[in-house]
Amino acid sequence: MTIVSYAGITRPSFLLAHPELPVLVYCKLQLNSISTLRIPSNDMKRTGVTRFRCYVAERTFESTSVGSSLSNTGNVRLGRKQRSSSSLYSRPSLLEMKNEKIANRAKVYEFLRGIGIVPDELDGLELPVTTEVMRERVDFLHKLGLTIEDINNYPLVLGCSVKKNMIPVLDYLGKLGVRKSTFTEFLRRYPQVLHASVVVDLDPVVKYLQGMDIKPNDVPRVLERYPEILGFKLEGTMSTSVAYLVGIGLARREVGGVLTRYPEILGMRVGRVIKPFVEYLESLGIPRLAVARLIEKRPHILGFGLEEQVKPNVGSLLEFNVRKSSLPSVVAQYPEIIGIELNEKLRGQQCLLHSVIDLGPEDFGRVVEKMPQVVSLSRLPIVKHVDFLKDCGFSLQQVRAMVVGCPHLLALNLDIMKHSFDYFQVVMERPLDDLVTFPAFFTYGLESTIKPRHKRVAKKGMKCSLSWLLNCSDEKFEQRMEYDTIDMEEMEMPSFDMNTLTEPRSEDSASDYDDSDDEHI
């Protein structure tokens, strides 16, 4: 019998072949039987297809043989899928997606640099993938009034979506009553608001302010004045600052008015700002309750820097001959004096009064003690008032004595002074020396006080000094009208009384006070 060997064993419709395999360390053969594939042929109606899969070192080799062909080794896949011309679609790899993202970001950066924005701080921030979307954001910020410089001051604002961040926040502020005309300055001061959530961040702060007795209609003005408040924690600085002020004597019913006029208080730390300020004023001799009253009337004084302004200004007052014992009165009368650029003002006013009425350094100190607002008077009113007194017939020496005795003469309404002087000369027929002795005569109302009191005294046939006539309350004057003789000890010049700040509060609210300076200053 003749035996012939073949490379394969042929069976009907099935062919097993062993293709040559590369020499590898490890090879695992897997035989998969595939359903018969019909291939048109003249010699063979049906040919079996056998597929071999070999896994070697995490790589997959596939071999497919058709019929008895041993040299046709099908497709080989090495670690990833090969793109096929017959594929309906293809997905980009992660690397391709990453490279595309880097390319898009580079284009966005190029656009920003082209319009003057420095994008260095934007690394790591989620930005639009196209320059078109970024251009939309920049244009929207421009419409709000923000400049390229404003954006460079806070470039992180470019990470805010127009539809998801900016518009909802601005709509909320507008519905509260914040004026659109203030949006530009609002965003310049606190651009972080565009990152905020209306529900989580903004609305709770607004409700907290209303809970502090700030009227709903005043909330928008508070936010306009101090937009940074929207970033504060409710139970942090805001609550402790208010609690401390109430603790030193600030009336609880005045809190709303104080915060409305100066909401910056809510951002002040008690230990670093408020408490040291209060304690320093106490060290000058101002009672703590009086300090609380000053804050009620002038809450902005808490914003004066203790080390940068207050202490240096107190030193300047002492340098210009204001006595230490008078410091409490000076500060209580004119709290702004510890917060302005004082040294130059004192120097300028001292030179001015010396040139106009020959006022010496010691007398200048007395003038500041009695009317500290003199440091803010302009030259023209001072000269006009001095000229008026000279025209009335007073000598330069008398004018100087009158100004030292009552510095308010330099700030009164000139028309009212003229009417009072005419009544003094024509009706009262008193000598000019009476005015030199009591220059405060000009500070009393002609119709409300001077005329009615003079008529009663004249009707009774009494002769008295101007001080006895005017320097008392209406109740005290009624008592004096019962006197048979005039007590000379009651003739005292009016002066500031610190006790007026610590007296029991009336029903009037301190919130009604206008914290603008005196009208003549």
Side-chain angles (χ1 to χ4, degrees), residues 78-97:
L78 302 176
R80 61 183 178 87
K81 295 181 179 179
Q82 298 290 336
R83 293 187 180 182
S84 173
S85 59
S86 63
S87 298
L88 297 178
Y89 65 92
S90 61
R91 296 181 180 180
S93 66
L94 292 178
L95 179 60
E96 290 173 332
M97 294 174 63

Side-chain angles (χ1 to χ4, degrees), residues 1 23 71 83 89 115 162 258 343 391 428 431 455 518 521:
M1 180 185 296
V23 179
S71 60
R83 293 187 180 182
Y89 65 92
I115 61 176
V162 173
V258 168
N343 195 275
D391 292 341
M428 300 179 74
K455 290 179 180 179
D518 292 348
I521 296 176

